[in-house]
Amino acid sequence: MLPWFDALFGQLTGRFLAARLHHALLLAGPAGIGKARFAVALAQMVLCRQTATSGACGSCQSCQLFAANTHPDFHMLQSEKQLGVDAVRGGIATLGATAQLGHNKVLLIKGADTMTESASNALLKTLEEPTNNTFIILLTDKLTRLLPTILSRCEKHKLGVPAVSESLAWLQEQGCEDVDEALLQAYGYAPLRVQAAVADSNALSFRAYSDGFAQLMTGDITPLALATKWQDNASQIVTWCQQQAYKAYCQRQQRQDLACFERCQQAIASLQHPGINKAVVLCGVLEQFAAA
Ligand SMILES: [Zn+2]
């Protein structure tokens, strides 16, 4: 379990053991803090045949099936873009059937904010009249996009980013060395995003960005040369530039920092357009910083 979820996990496990766990849990919080891992651990705990105060036993038949990703009473829905009514109905149908292991059933919906209105309405009925021994766990990083009727029928848990020291300690344990607060900040203080970035050798590292940016400031590289080099990571670069401008503006309240910030904002919008010349957009941003 991710250490920052220990307390809540213990609390929910205690309520489950006392048969007082709400049948619909909504976990909301920023991307990259491990909501899905937390939800999966909750699901395993609810399905385990020998749940203890510390959570699932890890050895019963249910836990073994769960570990093998073949648990017949655990279903997960997720979609890159949109969760339609058919997918949600399919998920609900699994809750209506008798649990194959004769115990509980869990439906996990990742990105619950991507449900269409008709999908939400289909789910609503199940939330209002839950079948026996069923638990629904909804995850979202865009809480405000959920229908109020869904929100009102779930027990909501708003999860924030972990404390910096906790994230750094955890990242070290995962073998991510050389991670500091600046890097954590560059990824919105979301430790799993940092972990993914460190693991992704294709991604431009924050350190490479910092070094390149320093060269830009000393005039050792031109905005165009740097933009050409970085164009494949343009969105990430502009996001980092924007954070840097914001930080600078907060510290010294200079007009040029605000101009840089606004330039980044425009660039982020421009980069959304398919077919845009990323190097040109990025070059414009870097020129603004070089001139500031
Ligand atoms: Zn078990």
Side-chain angles (χ1 to χ4, degrees), residues 44-45 47-51 55-64:
Q44 186 181 357
M45 180 274 287
L47 293 168
C48 172
R49 302 310 302 264
Q50 305 170 55
T51 307
C57 74
S59 56
C60 70
Q61 185 197 7
S62 174
C63 284
Q64 284 177 21

Coordinates of all heavy atoms in Angstrom, one line a residue, residues 44-45 47-51 55-64, ligand 1:
Q44 N -9.5 -5.8 -3.3 CA -9.0 -7.1 -2.9 C -9.4 -7.3 -1.4 O -9.8 -8.5 -1.0 CB -7.5 -7.1 -3.0 CG -6.9 -8.5 -2.6 CD -5.4 -8.6 -2.7 OE1 -4.7 -7.7 -3.1 NE2 -4.9 -9.8 -2.4
M45 N -9.4 -6.3 -0.6 CA -9.7 -6.4 0.8 C -11.2 -6.8 1.0 O -11.5 -7.7 1.8 CB -9.4 -5.0 1.5 CG -9.8 -4.9 3.0 SD -11.5 -4.5 3.3 CE -11.5 -2.8 2.8
L47 N -13.0 -8.4 -1.2 CA -13.3 -9.7 -1.8 C -12.6 -10.9 -1.0 O -13.1 -12.0 -1.1 CB -12.7 -9.8 -3.3 CG -13.5 -8.9 -4.3 CD1 -12.7 -8.8 -5.6 CD2 -14.9 -9.4 -4.5
C48 N -11.6 -10.6 -0.3 CA -10.8 -11.6 0.5 C -11.8 -12.4 1.4 O -12.7 -11.8 2.0 CB -9.7 -10.9 1.3 SG -8.9 -12.0 2.4
R49 N -11.5 -13.7 1.6 CA -12.3 -14.5 2.5 C -11.9 -14.4 4.0 O -12.5 -15.0 4.8 CB -12.4 -15.9 2.0 CG -12.9 -16.1 0.6 CD -14.2 -15.4 0.4 NE -15.3 -15.8 1.2 CZ -16.2 -16.7 0.9 NH1 -16.2 -17.3 -0.2 NH2 -17.1 -17.0 1.8
Q50 N -10.7 -13.8 4.2 CA -10.2 -13.8 5.6 C -9.6 -12.4 5.9 O -8.5 -12.3 6.4 CB -9.0 -14.8 5.7 CG -9.4 -16.2 5.3 CD -8.1 -17.1 5.3 OE1 -7.4 -17.2 6.2 NE2 -7.9 -17.8 4.2
T51 N -10.4 -11.4 5.5 CA -9.9 -10.0 5.7 C -9.6 -9.8 7.2 O -10.4 -10.1 8.1 CB -11.0 -9.0 5.3 OG1 -11.4 -9.4 3.9 CG2 -10.5 -7.6 5.3
G55 N -6.0 -5.7 6.2 CA -6.4 -5.8 4.9 C -6.6 -7.2 4.4 O -6.8 -8.1 5.2
A56 N -6.4 -7.4 3.1 CA -6.6 -8.8 2.5 C -5.5 -9.7 3.0 O -4.4 -9.2 3.3 CB -6.5 -8.7 1.0
C57 N -5.8 -11.0 3.1 CA -4.8 -12.0 3.7 C -3.7 -12.2 2.7 O -2.6 -12.6 3.1 CB -5.6 -13.2 4.1 SG -6.1 -14.3 2.7
G58 N -4.0 -12.2 1.4 CA -3.0 -12.5 0.4 C -2.8 -13.9 0.0 O -2.0 -14.3 -0.8
S59 N -3.5 -14.8 0.7 CA -3.3 -16.2 0.5 C -4.6 -17.0 0.2 O -4.5 -18.2 -0.3 CB -2.5 -16.8 1.7 OG -3.2 -16.6 2.9
C60 N -5.7 -16.5 0.5 CA -7.0 -17.3 0.3 C -7.2 -17.5 -1.2 O -6.5 -16.8 -2.0 CB -8.2 -16.7 1.0 SG -8.7 -15.1 0.2
Q61 N -8.2 -18.3 -1.6 CA -8.5 -18.5 -3.0 C -8.8 -17.2 -3.7 O -8.3 -16.9 -4.8 CB -9.7 -19.5 -3.1 CG -10.0 -19.9 -4.6 CD -11.4 -20.5 -4.8 OE1 -12.2 -20.4 -3.8 NE2 -11.6 -21.0 -6.0
S62 N -9.6 -16.4 -3.0 CA -10.0 -15.1 -3.6 C -8.7 -14.2 -3.9 O -8.6 -13.6 -5.0 CB -10.9 -14.3 -2.7 OG -11.2 -13.0 -3.1
C63 N -7.8 -14.1 -2.9 CA -6.6 -13.3 -3.1 C -5.7 -13.9 -4.2 O -5.1 -13.1 -4.9 CB -5.8 -13.2 -1.8 SG -6.6 -12.1 -0.6
Q64 N -5.7 -15.2 -4.3 CA -4.9 -15.8 -5.4 C -5.5 -15.5 -6.8 O -4.7 -15.1 -7.7 CB -4.8 -17.3 -5.2 CG -3.9 -17.7 -4.1 CD -3.8 -19.2 -3.8 OE1 -4.2 -20.0 -4.7 NE2 -3.4 -19.6 -2.6
Ligands
ZN1 ZN -7.5 -13.3 1.1

